[in-house]
Amino acid sequence: MTSQEIEAIVGGYHGDPFHVLGPHSVTRKKWEVRAFLPQAESAAVVLIETGQDAGPATAVMEKLHPDGFYCVSLPGAPVAYTIRARLWDGREIEIDDPYRYGPQISDSDLYLHTEGTLFEAYRTLGAHVTEGGVRFAVWAPNALNVTVAGEFNEWDIRRHPMRWRNGGVWELFIPGLGEGTIYKYYVRSKIGGYQQLKADPYAFLCEAPPKSASVVWKCDKYQWGDAAWMESRATKDWLKSPMSVYEVHAGSWLRGLSYRELAVKLVEYVKLMGYTHIEFLPIMEHPFAGSWGYQVIGYFAPTARFGTPDDFKYLVDCCHRAGIGVIVDWVPAHFPKDAHGLDFFDGTALYEHADPRKGEQREWGTKIFNYGRNEVRSFLVSNALFWLKEYHIDGLRVDAVASMLYLDYSRKAGEWIPNQYGGNENLEAIEFLRTFNVQAHKVPGAFTAAEESTAFSGVSRPVYLNGLGFTMKWNMGWMHDMLDYFSYDPVYRKFHHNDITFSMVYAFTENFVLPVSHDEVVHGKHSLLSKMPGDEWRQFANVRAFLAYMWAHPGKKLLFMGQEIGQRDEWNHDASIPWEVLEFDYHRKLQNLARELNRIYRANPAMYEVDFHYSGFEWVDFHDWESSIIAFLRRAENPKDFLLFCCNFTPVPRQGYEFGVPEEGFYEEILNTDSEAFGGSNIGNGGMVSSRPIPRHNRAQSIAVTLPPLAVVAFRKR
């Protein structure tokens, strides 16, 4: 030990603190204990001897540096000890020296992390409560040194330097700490003099914003009560099951609710409405509420705005016990530039690309992950598995997949770098997504969904068939076509008839989800109700027809909160859904329709069993563009189980309109969106019609029905 090394320890820039601090054999018969205790006026080593009558032996330490570097020489070989320190305020404390403990992380874990295959890296990196203290570990390969700072050491960035391990991982076991410890890592880079306090990328809990420190949390102590759900989920085929998703922003469904309050009120509401799943906008910790959670800092931490990690587990648990699945938005496409986050983590572009043409998403003001870096791949895949395994999340909806797939996404010429073959595909991101999906689908019953807005081939096809491996893909084309179509005054809809039929050209090329998401009811796009033309009656009638066609169309369903009650204003993340509108008939009856659509949907396999194959859909008639009328069949796996849907997208009632039907018999009207119960004019078919041997639409039998204005009617053969 040299004076320069002591100065480096005292100055907080020594890169190998275990070489200096802790117990060290000096000769065969002599050893030393060295400690940096700037908070202490004096210090002594207390030897922990063994034997029935043995008592502690105390050796006073010498202060070798005025800032608090202490040392004492002792005879014999090193034994266990503690340090008794007298603080400047006169208090006396006992310290279990962190620097007497050996390495904490296995070499095999470090190897797998460097290889990019440590797919449960959250068990190795981050802060973990172990017997007697907390083990900290962080990846920062270009750091000169890393220290742990927090309330436990008065945020002194010099006092707890970490040990460097292979692959650039820094670790330290600090005895005496436990759950609730607030901390950050102080990273001093080898490059450019960069120094910064960083939140733990693997933290299981963060302070509630605007605070930004990490918090030690035991992630495995919650007692789950959803064993029956998890067992059933493992054998579930979601592609052949009803999936009606209620998309929720936890902070604005009803302002002021905690996770545990949502576990009561939200779960009761969703169960009452008949949805099969809740999808939460990103629940991970994010500094800026206005990002809706899409600019994530704490990838492994549910936001502390609404409670603890166990509180969020309780919410998921309650959903499962009520028979409701849980999907969370997952954001591997980008991350924010907040100084305490992943950006420039060790003074270099560690998680991102150094070149902004690959590493920055300027449209959003965020950074892009370096998907080709092994350790980044471990981080992201581990994060996905963390939510699926530790939080029992049923599905991950992956945000902004298109921005990951294309190097020129939202970039002008000269602002992007082609791949090695000269193309615009991000080959590293494609390989990462395939790896993610393969690993995610190893979790029994888990599924993934991609928000992908281009015609990229095979998004929801298996990896072994050269697809990306997602379970499902959002059908953005259908959504835009339908919202455009319904925005036209009905008198002009005949000129846009293809908008409502074109989706069937490609409906079975992917496993589609039909979304009307949060993105479609903000930023001047208007709410679903306000998109509709006409007076109040026509607006509500249009919404009813829109939703019924959406539920009848092949594909799983997703509706953003508030649209089911006819919210008129755009969604505002700072305000609750305007539940007060349910005092008015139109809004309350629209909610009735949404509930009834879910009931009919779940009760009829023809509406969900064959969503992704042409055998589940059959046109009856789509040629009457002049009247804006279409009709089609939906079939279950048993082709004898079918429903007929007839849609009239103009406000003109049609009497005696004839449609061919597959079989002779009585056809029960199971849905009429013009029913008075839903706010309509109550024009209908008296509950039933009978087929006649009059050929129509290449079928020997037909029925003559009344088509209500701006409405969808559905029939089931008795």
Side-chain angles (χ1 to χ4, degrees):
M1 181 179 65
T2 65
S3 59
Q4 289 87 353
E5 287 184 305
I6 294 175
E7 286 292 344
I9 292 291
V10 171
Y13 55 86
H14 200 294
D16 187 9
F18 282 82
H19 177 71
V20 178
L21 299 173
H24 293 271
S25 294
V26 179
T27 68
R28 292 177 61 185
K29 297 184 178 181
K30 182 179 177 182
W31 64 293
E32 290 182 349
V33 176
R34 308 162 190 161
F36 177 50
L37 305 168
Q39 77 276 31
E41 181 184 26
S42 62
V45 168
V46 180
L47 301 181
I48 304 172
E49 299 182 20
T50 59
Q52 184 175 358
D53 301 321
T58 303
V60 176
M61 303 183 78
E62 179 184 0
K63 183 182 285 190
L64 299 185
H65 192 285
D67 283 350
F69 190 93
Y70 292 89
C71 181
V72 63
S73 295
L74 299 162
V79 295
Y81 66 91
T82 62
I83 298 173
R84 184 174 297 151
R86 179 175 292 277
L87 306 184
W88 291 102
D89 61 9
R91 290 182 297 123
E92 195 171 82
I93 62 171
E94 202 87 6
I95 300 170
D96 190 356
D97 188 1
Y99 299 95
R100 74 180 184 91
Y101 291 89
Q104 302 291 303
I105 299 175
S106 70
D107 289 335
S108 61
D109 275 4
L110 293 172
Y111 176 83
L112 293 174
H113 180 253
T114 302
E115 186 183 58
T117 56
L118 188 64
F119 292 144
E120 293 187 6
Y122 57 88
R123 302 188 187 278
T124 301
L125 296 169
H128 295 269
V129 179
T130 62
E131 185 177 354
V134 175
R135 184 192 76 218
F136 298 92
V138 64
W139 177 56
N142 299 300
L144 176 65
N145 75 319
V146 181
T147 63
V148 186
E151 292 181 346
F152 63 92
N153 63 9
E154 289 80 41
W155 291 99
D156 190 332
I157 60 175
R158 306 169 299 159
R159 207 183 294 179
H160 287 94
M162 305 176 78
R163 172 193 278 118
W164 183 88
R165 299 292 304 280
N166 289 340
V169 171
W170 299 80
E171 63 162 26
L172 184 65
F173 173 70
I174 304 181
L177 300 186
E179 189 174 61
T181 298
I182 295 173
Y183 70 101
K184 281 186 178 181
Y185 298 118
Y186 186 75
V187 181
R188 189 190 302 264
S189 180
K190 299 174 184 176
I191 301 167
Y194 178 84
Q195 303 174 49
Q196 182 66 49
L197 275 169
K198 290 286 189 179
D200 188 345
Y202 285 88
F204 297 145
L205 176 62
C206 303
E207 289 185 299
K211 294 182 178 180
S212 60
S214 302
V215 183
V216 175
W217 186 264
K218 291 184 69 173
C219 202
D220 57 356
K221 65 181 188 296
Y222 181 80
Q223 298 298 310
W224 288 92
D226 64 346
W229 171 272
M230 296 299 285
E231 184 178 350
S232 172
R233 191 189 82 173
T235 60
K236 192 89 165 180
D237 184 352
W238 288 115
L239 297 181
K240 295 182 179 180
S241 303
M243 185 176 289
S244 171
V245 183
Y246 189 58
E247 190 187 31
V248 170
H249 177 253
S252 61
W253 183 76
L254 187 60
R255 294 283 291 177
L257 296 188
S258 66
Y259 289 131
R260 288 187 178 264
E261 290 167 330
L262 286 167
V264 177
K265 295 186 177 181
L266 176 61
V267 171
E268 284 181 352
Y269 179 76
V270 170
K271 189 170 181 63
L272 174 69
M273 292 297 294
Y275 293 98
T276 65
H277 290 73
I278 299 171
E279 179 173 321
F280 288 104
L281 271 61
I283 210 72
M284 302 82 177
E285 194 59 82
H286 50 284
F288 177 46
S291 76
W292 312 331
Y294 288 96
Q295 295 193 10
V296 180
I297 287 288
Y299 272 81
F300 291 82
T303 178
R305 291 170 172 86
F306 315 121
T308 68
D310 282 359
D311 293 337
F312 182 61
K313 286 182 178 180
Y314 178 76
L315 170 54
V316 176
D317 204 357
C318 287
C319 287
H320 286 171
R321 283 185 279 174
I324 299 166
V326 180
I327 306 167
V328 297
D329 272 13
W330 186 54
V331 193
H334 60 114
F335 60 89
K337 298 179 181 179
D338 297 69
H340 66 284
L342 299 177
D343 184 33
F344 215 58
F345 192 83
D346 64 355
T348 68
L350 189 63
Y351 285 87
E352 68 272 33
H353 288 278
D355 192 325
R357 292 176 295 176
K358 291 186 72 174
E360 189 168 350
Q361 182 55 259
R362 291 178 176 172
E363 182 181 15
W364 300 329
T366 54
K367 294 296 184 72
I368 300 172
F369 283 103
N370 182 348
Y371 305 106
R373 188 157 196 169
N374 291 347
E375 297 87 348
V376 173
R377 192 160 59 250
S378 276
F379 173 79
L380 290 172
V381 175
S382 294
N383 184 243
L385 297 182
F386 172 78
W387 292 101
L388 296 174
K389 293 182 176 182
E390 299 298 322
Y391 280 84
H392 292 195
I393 298 301
D394 302 290
L396 297 175
R397 177 265 194 185
V398 184
D399 180 62
V401 172
S403 74
M404 302 170 67
L405 295 177
Y406 297 103
L407 296 165
D408 60 347
Y409 181 89
S410 191
R411 286 181 168 86
K412 300 175 183 176
E415 294 180 349
W416 60 283
I417 304 173
N419 63 34
Q420 65 197 73
Y421 304 109
N424 67 340
E425 298 88 359
N426 189 333
L427 303 178
E428 296 168 342
I430 291 170
E431 189 57 36
F432 156 71
L433 288 170
R434 288 172 172 163
T435 300
F436 148 71
N437 276 307
V438 167
Q439 295 302 320
H441 284 95
K442 291 180 180 179
V443 180
F447 62 88
T448 62
E451 184 213 17
E452 203 284 310
S453 55
T454 73
F456 192 93
S457 178
V459 172
S460 60
R461 292 293 174 263
V463 170
Y464 62 80
L465 294 179
N466 204 35
L468 292 182
F470 285 94
T471 318
M472 286 168 274
K473 171 184 172 174
W474 278 23
N475 193 336
M476 312 293 277
W478 173 89
M479 177 192 69
H480 290 303
D481 285 349
M482 287 301 297
L483 292 177
D484 282 348
Y485 178 82
F486 272 86
S487 70
Y488 295 112
D489 187 286
V491 73
Y492 300 115
R493 286 179 179 169
K494 62 184 178 181
F495 303 116
H496 303 276
H497 197 65
N498 284 347
D499 284 352
I500 55 171
T501 60
F502 179 67
S503 61
M504 296 314 304
V505 173
Y506 61 87
F508 310 114
T509 59
E510 300 277 4
N511 302 331
F512 281 122
V513 176
L514 309 182
V516 178
S517 73
H518 63 280
D519 277 329
E520 306 313 312
V521 294
V522 291
H523 301 326
K525 297 180 183 178
H526 306 292
S527 68
L528 182 60
L529 180 66
S530 295
K531 293 176 191 289
M532 303 300 171
D535 58 18
E536 184 178 48
W537 189 92
R538 291 192 181 196
Q539 283 187 313
F540 276 92
N542 274 306
V543 171
R544 294 193 299 268
F546 177 95
L547 292 177
Y549 180 55
M550 175 179 174
W551 256 246
H553 191 286
K556 307 310 180 186
K557 326 300 176 188
L558 179 141
L559 188 65
F560 184 58
M561 62 182 197
Q563 309 317 302
E564 82 280 9
I565 63 171
Q567 178 170 339
R568 188 165 289 282
D569 294 331
E570 289 187 345
W571 169 53
N572 176 7
H573 71 273
D574 283 328
S576 296
I577 291 174
W579 296 107
E580 62 275 8
V581 302
L582 291 175
E583 298 175 12
F584 303 101
D585 272 359
Y586 277 139
H587 297 271
R588 188 171 60 255
K589 291 181 176 181
L590 176 61
Q591 185 187 45
N592 290 343
L593 173 69
R595 182 166 58 246
E596 180 65 6
L597 285 174
N598 280 330
R599 187 197 66 78
I600 293 172
Y601 175 62
R602 297 175 74 157
N604 289 279
M607 294 180 71
Y608 61 78
E609 274 190 350
V610 192
D611 269 327
F612 310 119
H613 190 268
Y614 66 87
S615 60
F617 178 92
E618 186 178 338
W619 280 117
V620 173
D621 184 27
F622 59 88
H623 297 99
D624 191 358
W625 58 271
E626 187 74 39
S627 300
S628 298
I629 290 172
I630 59 172
F632 55 89
L633 299 174
R634 290 298 312 278
R635 294 186 186 270
E637 287 187 327
N638 176 4
K640 293 290 187 180
D641 184 356
F642 64 89
L643 297 177
L644 170 66
F645 290 91
C646 309
C647 309
N648 177 15
F649 295 129
T650 70
V652 180
R654 308 285 179 178
Q655 306 288 338
Y657 203 102
E658 296 179 338
F659 295 104
V661 291
E663 298 176 7
E664 178 185 2
F666 293 100
Y667 284 78
E668 179 185 1
E669 186 181 66
I670 64 168
L671 173 69
N672 181 348
T673 65
D674 192 51
S675 166
E676 190 276 333
F678 307 139
S681 55
N682 228 25
I683 296 174
N685 295 276
M688 187 177 297
V689 293
S690 176
S691 69
R692 302 174 300 174
I694 300 175
R696 287 289 183 274
H697 304 125
N698 296 317
R699 293 170 174 84
Q701 295 282 323
S702 64
I703 57 175
V705 304
T706 296
L707 293 178
L710 292 172
V712 174
V713 289
F715 298 92
R716 178 176 55 204
K717 180 178 176 291
R718 275 198 173 179

